Amino acid sequence: MMREILILGRGGQGAQTAGNLLARAFFEIGQYVQTFATYGGARRGTPVTSSIRVAADPIRVRCNIELANAMLCFDESLLDRAFLANADNKTAIVVNSSKAAEYFSGIGDYRIVPVDGRQIAQNHGMGKVINSALLGAFAATMGQPDINVLCDVIFENAPTKKQENVAACREAFALLSESARENHQ
């Protein structure tokens, strides 16, 4: 089964880097991966999208993703109709937000999983760099890729603060894994 993933952020937030890291982690666990990006304007702050396809077999599809299995949103203000048109009630949508899941119930019947990536990043001295935390939350929500493989990829590719990036990823993973266990009890 092929999984299709969309990552949405604003230029400069690290959404493209997160997409590349996630694709690499899936590749490292033996999956075929296809990744491509869409840029709004060519400046900081404009919306950017990273698209990823993952499958056990070679991927032959060469078009935009119309219905994602999962989404990662770097900024809750980007959860608009255009972005959500690529989701249904089965799509897991991990969003960077300090708000509770109930806050998002008014936008439709979506499976929105908020995580305060900014706070987690700050806990580890990362400032506004939230992509490692969001990737950990995504891995916990989806059950893939393996957290150890993801952390290895982050460590290998982080230009600075390698340990801090890994710690932020692991904290978000643990936080959402614990939340998922509590919801299933």
Side-chain angles (χ1 to χ4, degrees), residues 9-17 39-48 74-75 78 118 126-131:
R10 295 190 183 282
Q13 286 185 315
Q16 297 302 313
T17 299
Y39 300 89
R43 66 186 201 291
R44 292 181 74 82
T46 58
V48 295
F74 273 58
D75 183 339
L78 295 171
R118 187 174 194 133
M126 301 291 299
K128 296 178 182 179
V129 181
I130 60 173
N131 51 1

Side-chain angles (χ1 to χ4, degrees), residues 20-169:
N20 291 336
L21 293 171
L22 188 58
R24 180 64 187 208
F26 277 115
F27 177 79
E28 292 294 330
I29 63 171
Q31 298 289 297
Y32 287 90
V33 180
Q34 180 189 89
T35 183
F36 53 97
T38 305
Y39 300 89
R43 66 186 201 291
R44 292 181 74 82
T46 58
V48 295
T49 305
S50 179
S51 302
I52 303 167
R53 288 191 175 98
V54 180
D57 298 313
I59 301 167
R60 308 255 186 255
V61 178
R62 301 281 187 257
C63 61
N64 289 334
I65 294 173
E66 293 181 15
L67 180 60
N69 302 98
M71 299 172 140
L72 179 56
C73 186
F74 273 58
D75 183 339
E76 69 184 61
S77 70
L78 295 171
L79 286 177
D80 62 11
R81 293 200 187 283
F83 184 59
L84 294 172
N86 297 324
D88 64 15
N89 62 356
K90 295 177 187 166
T91 304
I93 305 170
V94 176
V95 62
N96 178 43
S97 177
S98 60
K99 296 178 174 81
E102 294 77 32
Y103 172 83
F104 298 99
S105 63
I107 65 172
D109 185 26
Y110 297 104
R111 186 177 153 214
I112 297 179
V113 180
V115 62
D116 194 347
R118 187 174 194 133
Q119 183 60 56
I120 292 169
Q122 289 175 353
N123 293 348
H124 298 283
M126 301 291 299
K128 296 178 182 179
V129 181
I130 60 173
N131 51 1
S132 294
L134 293 182
L135 287 172
F138 184 85
T141 301
M142 299 307 299
Q144 281 191 325
D146 177 88
I147 186 62
N148 295 319
V149 172
L150 181 59
C151 287
D152 287 347
V153 168
I154 289 170
F155 186 84
E156 290 170 11
N157 291 281
T160 62
K161 299 187 177 186
K162 292 177 180 288
Q163 295 294 345
E164 293 87 342
N165 274 283
V166 169
C169 181

